[in-house]
Amino acid sequence: MPYIMRISSQKGGVGKTTVAVNLAVSLQRRGYRTLLIDADTANPSVGFHLGMTNVNVGFKNLVKKEAQLKDFISIHAPSGLHTICGTIDSKPFTISEENAKTIYSKIKNTNYAFVIVDTQPGFTTDYIAKVYDEAILITTPEDTAVASIIRLAHSFDKIHLKHHLVINKIGRHKYELHPKEIEEAYEGKAIGMLPEDEIVPMSIAEHIPAVMLSKRAKFSQATVALAETYSAMSEYTPDEGISKVSFWNRLWSLFKRR
Ligand SMILES: Nc1ncnc2c1ncn2[C@@H]1O[C@H](COP(=O)(O)OP(=O)(O)OP(=O)(O)O)[C@@H](O)[C@H]1O
Ligand SMILES: [Mg+2]
């Protein structure tokens, strides 16, 4: 069974999608079969990060009982990552308990090592949160983001959902909270500390994940370190074959772009 992780925050714009995409690509490139799902049905943006804006199927399509997961998966050729991008339409989408069960039973019955689910900001209903193995809580070093992440952590504690903290956009500015202050408030160590880095907006504009655009960038190095932490915790052994395929795919895509 895959290890299903939810990327969460109550506050918007803290870097959930950025972390979800770059962590998923990093795990895939380490040889772990990974599926990235854009479950932000209000503002799906995984497709922009991956250069896959032409994909027009997504999370919502899985609600139908007869829908097969494999029919909605696209492959990000440069990395080999499997993804279910979002669909953009004007109708609001609220997931019922029955729909949540239908979707997640399909996800659980796959042979991915990791499934990473990017979500929209806000509180989460119990029946949705319960289907995950873990939530990665993303905060920035600001009071407003930290206060809301602490509330979310408490609500996940109540339903016994394991969570880890990632601090993003650390700029070491005087006005920022120090990572230690954030860890004290959270009552636990952060599993990842990601710097503020211009590679991120650049990578979104280029539609190439930061970890692929520049290995040397500080954000990329910190994200790869986060992926290493998760791979060390994983019960799966990396599949050597995946990395080789990804390399040739990547080369092919580079030629195609020129
Ligand atoms: N480490 C970083 N350094 C610099 N900029 C960053 C970093 N992480 C994210 N950003 C920028 O912050 C903005 C929001 O990022 P992102 O879309 O990933 O957040 P989000 O939490 O998914 O937002 P939403 O709640 O709207 O879904 C983007 O413009 C992105 O370029
Ligand atoms: Mg997002």
Side-chain angles (χ1 to χ4, degrees):
M1 276 216 291
Y3 190 73
I4 310 177
M5 295 137 97
R6 179 191 162 85
I7 312 288
S8 296
S9 77
Q10 256 197 86
K11 193 172 183 296
V14 291
K16 291 179 294 302
T17 306
T18 303
V19 174
V21 167
N22 285 283
L23 179 59
V25 167
S26 302
L27 286 167
Q28 177 67 33
R29 293 175 88 203
R30 291 183 68 79
Y32 292 91
R33 280 173 53 80
T34 303
L35 172 66
L36 171 64
I37 301 178
D38 193 339
D40 181 346
T41 53
N43 189 22
S45 52
V46 162
F48 292 106
H49 287 246
L50 293 174
M52 295 169 75
T53 44
N54 54 343
V55 180
N56 199 26
V57 288
F59 187 69
K60 289 181 208 172
N61 301 90
L62 298 175
V63 165
K64 284 192 183 150
K65 281 211 165 72
E66 61 280 9
Q68 301 263 333
L69 192 80
K70 64 176 170 48
D71 295 336
F72 298 99
I73 291 173
S74 311
I75 298 177
H76 177 242
S79 66
L81 175 73
H82 286 203
T83 177
I84 298 177
C85 295
T87 45
I88 301 177
D89 62 42
S90 51
K91 284 187 212 144
F93 176 81
T94 320
I95 189 167
S96 67
E97 182 159 6
E98 200 193 334
N99 289 344
K101 280 184 186 152
T102 308
I103 292 180
Y104 289 101
S105 68
K106 290 176 192 174
I107 297 171
K108 280 209 162 109
N109 282 320
T110 59
N111 64 353
Y112 291 100
F114 292 101
V115 176
I116 297 182
V117 183
D118 182 30
T119 65
Q120 58 209 47
F123 251 119
T124 313
T125 325
D126 288 5
Y127 60 77
I128 297 176
K130 267 182 182 165
V131 300
Y132 291 90
D133 295 302
E134 143 169 7
I136 301 185
L137 305 177
I138 314 285
T139 188
T140 52
E142 301 161 285
D143 285 342
T144 45
V146 173
S148 67
I149 218 68
I150 302 299
R151 283 201 297 276
L152 200 55
H154 285 162
S155 79
F156 286 164
D157 284 340
K158 277 191 200 149
I159 57 164
H160 308 291
L161 173 63
K162 181 166 88 179
H163 50 82
H164 282 118
L165 178 70
V166 168
I167 309 172
N168 185 34
K169 299 196 204 182
I170 301 175
R172 303 284 180 195
H173 300 291
K174 273 190 188 155
Y175 51 81
E176 279 182 21
L177 288 172
H178 192 278
K180 276 194 185 146
E181 293 176 286
I182 301 172
E183 288 182 330
E184 268 168 32
Y186 175 67
E187 295 175 357
K189 291 258 172 224
I191 197 167
M193 295 205 195
L194 311 178
E196 185 178 60
D197 189 337
E198 67 173 4
I199 194 69
V200 174
M202 275 167 61
S203 72
I204 299 171
E206 291 276 334
H207 304 304
I208 302 172
V211 289
M212 299 188 78
L213 190 59
S214 167
K215 266 190 194 170
R216 287 200 195 148
K218 286 189 175 147
F219 174 85
S220 306
Q221 290 184 358
T223 307
V224 167
L226 180 62
E228 277 165 15
T229 307
Y230 276 102
S231 51
M233 293 193 289
S234 171
E235 289 167 6
Y236 285 77
T237 37
D239 180 345
E240 291 299 323
I242 289 179
S243 320
K244 282 180 199 145
V245 171
S246 303
F247 172 76
W248 291 113
N249 274 339
R250 197 162 72 240
L251 208 62
W252 172 237
S253 312
L254 282 175
F255 281 127
K256 265 203 314 196
R257 251 203 301 276
R258 295 211 148 76

